[in-house]
Amino acid sequence: MNSRLQYVELNDGRFIPGLGFGTYKPPEVPNSKTTEATKIAIEAGYRHIDCAYAYQVEEEVGLAVRSKIADGTVKREDIFCTSKLWCTFHRPELVQSSLERSLKKFHFDYVDLYLIHYPFSMKVNENGKTIYDHVDLCAVWEAMEKCKDAGLAKSIGVSNFNRRQLEMILNKPGLKYKPVCNQVECHVYHNQRKLLDFCKSKNIVLVAYGALGTQRDKQWVDQSSPVLLDDPVLGALAKKHKRSPALIALRYQLQRGVVVLAQSLKENEIKENIQVERRAVGMWVLYMFFLSYITKHLLSLHSFINILAIVD
Ligand SMILES: NC(=O)c1ccc[n+]([C@@H]2O[C@H](COP(=O)([O-])OP(=O)(O)OC[C@H]3O[C@@H](n4cnc5c(N)ncnc54)[C@H](OP(=O)(O)O)[C@@H]3O)[C@@H](O)[C@H]2O)c1
């Protein structure tokens, strides 16, 4: 475990790093960019990587992790890697083989976290068309529990579940493991306050995606909607705390007990976003300066106050 990172305890006793590196990208962007970006992220200090079968980059993420293991930067146990069960594999007999296929792509023996990606099921019909399917979510969950028992997923959870769907799992007769988390869209324009309170009351960690306002894919996002990182309140807070709006948006989640994902393929943004973890280092720097002030009287009150201003 990296002591510089914030970790959040899961209800199964394991720990998840508070900041995760998102690996969804539009299909037109070459997959090799994911390998490059994931390597940069690991070098920069990220230890939590969020992936999914549906992103079609499990091979590239696995390649990046293995290359950082090979050069001695990390060990496999330092990395917290998530994947997700796609909706066409909800039928209980397909769940474990779907995870095994993902593991083969990663070249991993296990994932740290396996999630049900969405609370609805799909299947491919006789004409090759993908249509909705009816699969009992509780049966999907039982198949997920078997993946944990088989050691293929260290922890299991859900994504995009509302309160009612979570309750369905929590109230399932014979429940063996509670979901450790619910990964949902969550940002300053949609802060999921009620769902967060519910999750906290059940000791389920809320993991936020879209925290930076999403990639604004034309397919899903109305291009005339406000750009989150241009928000004037975020801008004012960023100015006050001498941070970027992105760091304020990420810090907001960590400070309310939410694990947060941040995606970027740009080196400067990847390196900037990990600075959200800077608080521990900032406090250490503050203590050192304080000590120096007391013992040597070298630090003027004015510069001490300036340091206070940059530490959260
Ligand atoms: N469970 C689910 O159903 C689900 C759904 C969606 C996402 N996710 C996960 O959550 C991850 C994150 O969500 P997301 O991909 O929607 O996007 P996001 O993290 O909200 O935003 C990503 C965009 O913000 C911009 N950005 C990043 N760092 C920045 C910085 N420091 N300054 C300015 N702009 C910055 C980048 O755009 P530019 O590159 O253009 O600058 C980037 O494309 C995904 O990658 C995926 O792993 C899960």
Side-chain angles (χ1 to χ4, degrees):
M1 203 176 281
N2 185 331
S3 60
R4 275 185 58 189
L5 298 177
Q6 285 192 23
Y7 284 77
V8 174
E9 189 169 7
L10 300 170
N11 64 34
D12 62 1
R14 299 188 72 246
F15 290 83
I16 183 170
L19 174 69
F21 181 65
T23 63
Y24 172 75
K25 58 152 191 66
E28 61 273 16
V29 175
N31 281 13
S32 57
K33 293 267 180 203
T34 301
T35 311
E36 247 173 73
T38 308
K39 282 191 204 169
I40 292 169
I42 295 171
E43 280 159 16
Y46 292 77
R47 294 296 177 261
H48 169 183
I49 301 167
D50 183 75
C51 195
Y53 168 85
Y55 304 166
Q56 297 185 22
V57 290
E58 288 171 317
E59 248 174 278
E60 288 72 16
V61 166
L63 189 62
V65 173
R66 281 181 286 117
S67 105
K68 289 290 111 193
I69 292 173
D71 75 7
T73 308
V74 284
K75 300 190 190 77
R76 172 64 187 92
E77 57 269 31
D78 297 330
I79 298 290
F80 188 102
C81 184
T82 300
S83 191
K84 310 185 189 92
L85 175 74
W86 188 238
C87 309
T88 47
F89 305 115
H90 277 189
R91 293 195 168 237
E93 66 277 16
L94 301 179
V95 172
Q96 184 161 329
S97 54
S98 177
L99 173 53
E100 281 164 351
R101 189 171 37 246
S102 288
L103 291 175
K104 223 170 161 182
K105 290 197 171 170
F106 285 122
H107 287 261
F108 290 166
D109 298 330
Y110 64 89
V111 285
D112 295 272
L113 179 60
Y114 199 46
L115 306 180
I116 301 179
H117 204 149
Y118 284 98
F120 60 84
S121 311
M122 296 194 290
K123 65 177 175 189
V124 179
N125 74 4
E126 53 287 352
N127 304 321
K129 220 178 141 200
T130 303
I131 57 168
Y132 285 110
D133 192 10
H134 296 284
V135 184
D136 176 7
L137 274 182
C138 289
V140 187
W141 187 252
E142 282 168 9
M144 295 285 287
E145 291 179 327
K146 288 192 181 120
C147 292
K148 180 171 161 80
D149 283 337
L152 302 176
K154 299 274 182 197
S155 297
I156 50 174
V158 297
S159 176
N160 299 301
F161 275 44
N162 62 25
R163 176 182 174 146
R164 202 169 48 83
Q165 290 152 344
L166 279 172
E167 277 173 337
M168 202 191 301
I169 304 289
L170 294 173
N171 298 332
K172 187 188 85 63
L175 179 73
K176 193 165 183 189
Y177 306 116
K178 276 177 27 168
V180 295
C181 73
N182 186 19
Q183 186 183 118
V184 292
E185 178 180 347
C186 180
H187 43 75
V188 290
Y189 289 164
H190 182 44
N191 76 3
Q192 300 277 16
R193 187 178 50 81
K194 284 187 189 165
L195 186 63
L196 176 60
D197 287 347
F198 176 73
C199 286
K200 281 186 177 173
S201 75
K202 300 293 176 192
N203 199 11
I204 292 171
V205 168
L206 195 141
V207 179
Y209 71 73
L212 299 172
T214 81
Q215 298 174 42
R216 294 182 67 84
D217 190 321
K218 288 192 179 76
Q219 262 192 90
W220 330 106
V221 177
D222 175 358
Q223 298 298 298
S224 66
S225 65
V227 176
L228 187 139
L229 293 181
D230 291 346
D231 184 272
V233 176
L234 272 187
L237 283 167
K239 205 169 165 196
K240 181 176 171 209
H241 293 281
K242 298 185 174 65
R243 299 282 206 274
S244 66
L247 286 178
I248 301 290
L250 297 174
R251 187 81 208 163
Y252 165 71
Q253 302 293 3
L254 291 184
Q255 288 190 194
R256 60 206 287 261
V258 168
V259 168
V260 67
L261 305 176
Q263 183 277 349
S264 182
L265 293 171
K266 295 177 184 154
E267 184 165 356
N268 62 317
E269 290 179 353
I270 296 170
K271 289 183 172 166
E272 181 186 323
N273 295 341
I274 191 90
Q275 296 303 314
V276 73
E277 301 274 12
R278 211 175 69 179
R279 188 167 189 240
V281 177
M283 287 307 286
W284 181 80
V285 169
L286 176 66
Y287 295 139
M288 291 310 288
F289 272 104
F290 188 57
L291 201 64
S292 153
Y293 175 72
I294 302 266
T295 53
K296 296 178 197 157
H297 297 276
L298 284 178
L299 199 66
S300 71
L301 186 61
H302 179 252
S303 52
F304 185 65
I305 287 167
N306 277 345
I307 292 157
L308 268 180
I310 62 159
V311 176
D312 286 333

